[in-house]
Amino acid sequence: MGTGTRTPLVAGNWKMNGALRESRDLVAELAAGVGQGGRAEMLLCPPYVYLAAAARWLEATPIALGAQNLASEVDPGAFTGEVSGAMLADVGCAYVIVGHSERRTLYGETDEQVVAKFRAARTAGLGPILCVGETLEEREEGLTEAVVTRQVNAVLGTLGAGVLASAVVAYEPVWAIGTGRTASPDQAQEVHALIRGLIAAQDATIAAGLRILYGGSVNGGNAAELLAREDIDGGLVGGASLDASQFLTIFQAASG
Ligand code: 13P
C-alpha cells in the first residue's frame, strides 16, 4: 500500500443503484461495521437524490459522503437537470467523482468538460476524484500510457499540479469495470506509478501525497493484493460497494 502519510481511501460508487430504504439499511450496516473507523477512510457516493438523506444517516459516523457527478457551471442559473458543486457541498458532500468512464463513454464527456467539472468541484471546496483509464482496444493497441497521460495532462496542463493537492485520482481501466476482470496488481501498479510520475514531474511533494485509487472489479477477494502495491492507495468500488460485507472486507484490507 501507498507509503508515507497517505491515508488509504475506500470509496463506494453506487452508480444508479438502490432505493431509499435499501440505501438506509446499507449505510447502517456499514456504519456498524466501520465502528470508529480505521487507518483508512471510507467514502460513499450515492445517487444525487439520496445525498441529503445519506448525509443525515452518516452524521455520527466517520464515513464521508461524495457525489458521482456535478455541473461544470459554477453559478446558479438556467441549467435544467444540473446540480452544482455548491449544492453538493451544501448537503454535506466532501468529494465528487469527475470524469468516470461511464460519463465519458455513455454521455460523451470530453477531457475539456472533465477539466471544467474538476475546476467547479475545487471552486465549491469539494475534493475531486478524477477518473482515468483506457479501453480494452486501447490497451491491446499499446495505447494505455498515451491515453492515461492525455487524461491526466488535460487537468495538469490546464490547471497545474497545485489543484491536485486536495484531489484524488482513480485509475479505472474500462475493460475491468463491471466485468469481473480485474487488472493484475502488476498492471495496476505500473499505471499508478506512471500517474504519480506525471505529477511528480511538475510537483514532487503533491505527487508524494496524492492518493491514487484503483477501480475495476475490486472485491473482498482481490482487494488485499491490489492494496499491497506501493502506489495503490485505495479503491473506487462499484458492484461490491452495494454489499456491506464485501465493502467492509475491502475497507479492512485497506486499514490493515
Ligand atoms: P465495478 O467495481 O463494479 O467494476 O465498478 C468500478 C467502478 O466503475 C467504480 O467507479
Side-chain angles (χ1 to χ4, degrees):
M1 174 130 23
T3 48
T5 54
R6 298 196 293 270
T7 302
L9 176 63
V10 177
N13 173 10
W14 291 6
K15 307 191 180 182
M16 197 175 79
N17 288 293
L20 195 56
R21 260 190 223 168
E22 200 181 306
S23 302
R24 187 194 58 193
D25 294 349
L26 176 57
V27 168
E29 273 187 78
L30 293 173
V34 92
Q36 295 313 302
R39 194 172 85 82
E41 180 182 0
M42 184 185 282
L43 165 68
L44 304 181
C45 301
Y48 279 149
V49 290
Y50 301 135
L51 286 171
R56 287 193 300 277
W57 303 330
L58 292 173
E59 243 161 32
T61 78
I63 304 172
L65 185 67
Q68 300 171 17
N69 185 26
L70 81 164
S72 51
E73 294 81 9
V74 169
D75 294 327
F79 304 109
T80 301
E82 291 297 298
V83 176
S84 71
M87 292 168 184
L88 298 176
D90 192 25
V91 297
C93 290
Y95 293 92
V96 60
I97 297 170
V98 172
H100 191 280
S101 68
E102 287 151 17
R103 305 272 348 145
R104 293 179 192 257
T105 57
L106 301 174
Y107 304 101
E109 276 187 17
T110 62
D111 282 339
E112 290 67 34
Q113 284 171 305
V114 172
V115 171
K117 289 185 176 196
F118 190 103
R119 185 193 278 120
R122 295 249 320 154
T123 302
L126 299 167
I129 301 177
L130 173 68
C131 298
V132 298
E134 81 288 1
T135 63
L136 186 59
E137 290 87 340
E138 289 164 341
R139 176 161 281 267
E140 285 172 347
E141 286 169 28
L143 294 174
T144 300
E145 186 174 334
V147 170
V148 171
T149 300
R150 190 203 76 223
Q151 291 170 335
V152 171
N153 279 348
V155 170
L156 269 185
T158 316
L159 306 177
V163 299
L164 291 167
S166 63
V168 173
V169 173
Y171 170 54
E172 297 206 309
V174 178
W175 49 272
I177 296 177
T179 58
R181 188 177 160 194
T182 322
S184 71
D186 281 351
Q187 285 174 320
Q189 167 61 28
E190 191 184 354
V191 179
H192 283 230
L194 163 77
I195 294 168
R196 202 178 300 286
L198 289 171
I199 295 152
Q202 280 206 15
D203 190 315
T205 308
I206 285 177
L210 178 75
R211 292 182 292 182
I212 306 178
L213 314 183
Y214 168 76
S217 297
V218 177
N219 59 42
N222 60 28
E225 58 170 6
L226 285 159
L227 292 166
R229 303 309 297 266
E230 188 184 344
D231 288 296
I232 303 183
D233 305 307
L236 181 54
V237 186
S241 75
L242 302 170
D243 177 317
S245 88
Q246 285 278 329
F247 197 56
L248 285 166
T249 303
I250 299 166
F251 179 75
Q252 273 135 25
S255 294

